């Protein structure tokens, strides 16, 4: 049938995931950091996602598409523990039981504070540092976080969803004012966590410096996404 349905311009999409959160039917998902219409029959054509997009990457078009399937949408919602932002969706992670090993691992953190909002931009420990910028949930999700990411690095953390601040401004100053040797970004796989990655890349570009930067994505079940 010919009907009104959304169209997503992947060239404009910045991967923020706000449209996926705004889509109550679950028609939109994130694929390789871009929003995509995953289920045409889940799109009701009302466009709740349009005003959520900050870069106007979503529009309407009229074309051949499956009819909106309300029954399938309701069935899909029924099997989800909770809706809304994928980053706040409740889930239980089943892990195999393992013998408790009474070992105490030393912290690899070498400076304080660690919150991006609190660190001084000209702190002496930034000079010559390999800088780790991490979403704060990553250290909880990834069991070997200290040994693999914090060790031998200066670490700063933040949450792009909950902190009402543009990290890129302060990170620009940290990179610009200090001799940073490398940047490592560790984020969660959920769309809202893309904000911390974008802030680092924006800061690096605004600083005018050419510094190696590597991004790691942690899955919600505690693995490094490949």
């Amino acid at each position: 049938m010919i009907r009104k349905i959304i169209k997503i311009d992947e060239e404009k999409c910045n991967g923020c995931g706000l449209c996926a959160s705004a889509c109550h039917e679950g028609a939109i998902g994130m694929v390789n950091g871009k929003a995509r219409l995953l289920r045409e029959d889940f799109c009701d054509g009302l466009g709740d996602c349009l005003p959520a997009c900050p870069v106007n990457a979503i529009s309407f078009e009229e074309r051949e598409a499956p009819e909106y399937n309300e029954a399938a949408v309701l069935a899909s919602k029924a099997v989800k523990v909770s809706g809304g932002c994928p980053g706040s969706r409740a889930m239980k992670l089943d892990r195999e039981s393992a013998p408790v090993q009474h070992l105490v691992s030393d912290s690899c953190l070498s400076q304080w504070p660690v919150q991006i909002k609190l660190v001084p931009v000209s702190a002496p420990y930034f000079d010559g540092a390999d800088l780790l910028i991490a979403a704060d949930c990553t250290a909880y999700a990834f069991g070997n976080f200290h040994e693999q990411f914090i060790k031998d690095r200066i670490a700063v953390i933040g949450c792009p969803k909950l902190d009402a601040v543009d990290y890129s401004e302060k990170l620009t100053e940290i990179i610009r004012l200090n001799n940073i040797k490398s940047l490592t970004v560790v984020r969660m796989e959920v769309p809202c966590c893309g904000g911390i990655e974008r802030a680092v890349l924006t800061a690096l570009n605004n600083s005018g410096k050419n510094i190696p930067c590597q991004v790691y994505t942690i899955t919600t079940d505690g693995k490094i996404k490949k």
Side-chain angles (χ1 to χ4, degrees):
M1 63 179 297
I2 302 295
R3 71 179 184 94
K4 186 169 69 173
I5 195 168
I6 66 160
K7 179 181 179 181
I8 301 174
D9 187 337
E10 291 193 11
E11 292 296 320
K12 289 184 179 180
C13 176
N14 65 3
C16 68
L18 293 175
C19 59
S21 300
C23 179
H24 304 298
E25 289 73 31
I28 302 174
M30 304 302 295
V31 179
N32 296 326
K34 297 286 186 177
R36 185 174 297 177
L37 180 57
L38 300 179
R39 291 287 302 263
E40 293 183 349
D41 60 331
F42 278 26
C43 178
D44 58 9
L46 298 178
D48 287 344
C49 55
L50 269 70
C53 179
V55 294
N56 297 318
I58 306 177
S59 59
F60 282 123
E61 63 177 348
E62 286 199 8
R63 61 173 175 83
E64 183 72 31
E67 185 177 359
Y68 172 58
N69 191 337
E70 184 178 11
V73 170
L74 294 175
S76 177
K77 287 182 178 181
V79 300
K80 293 180 181 178
V81 178
S82 65
C85 172
S88 59
R89 184 169 299 149
M91 64 182 73
K92 187 177 186 301
L93 304 176
D94 294 321
R95 304 192 186 278
E96 294 182 4
S97 299
V100 177
Q101 297 182 354
H102 297 285
L103 300 176
V104 177
S105 298
D106 291 334
S107 171
C108 294
L109 188 65
S110 61
Q111 102 288 339
W112 189 265
V114 293
Q115 287 284 348
I116 296 174
K117 294 194 295 184
L118 300 180
V119 292
V121 295
S122 298
Y125 45 72
F126 283 133
D127 187 39
D130 292 301
L131 181 60
L132 167 68
I133 304 102
D136 48 16
C137 291
T138 55
Y140 291 92
F142 188 70
N144 201 33
F145 193 85
H146 273 249
E147 186 67 26
Q148 184 150 346
F149 292 116
I150 295 182
K151 187 176 182 180
D152 299 324
R153 293 186 177 99
I154 295 300
V156 295
I157 65 170
C159 176
K161 185 175 179 67
L162 300 181
D163 290 346
V165 64
D166 182 3
Y167 292 140
S168 64
E169 296 180 6
K170 188 165 190 178
L171 291 174
T172 297
E173 291 304 293
I174 291 174
I175 296 171
R176 186 178 65 84
L177 296 174
N178 299 281
N179 178 28
I180 304 294
K181 294 194 298 183
S182 69
L183 296 169
T184 300
V185 182
V186 186
R187 53 162 292 185
M188 296 299 297
E189 66 177 339
V190 296
C192 57
C193 212
I196 202 159
E197 179 180 349
R198 289 192 299 277
V200 174
L201 296 179
T202 299
L204 182 56
N205 181 66
N206 291 344
S207 73
K209 292 187 176 182
N210 184 17
I211 301 173
C213 180
Q214 189 165 7
V215 179
Y216 294 89
T217 300
I218 307 299
T219 64
T220 50
D221 61 349
K223 298 179 177 64
I224 297 177
K225 191 172 184 179
K226 297 181 180 180

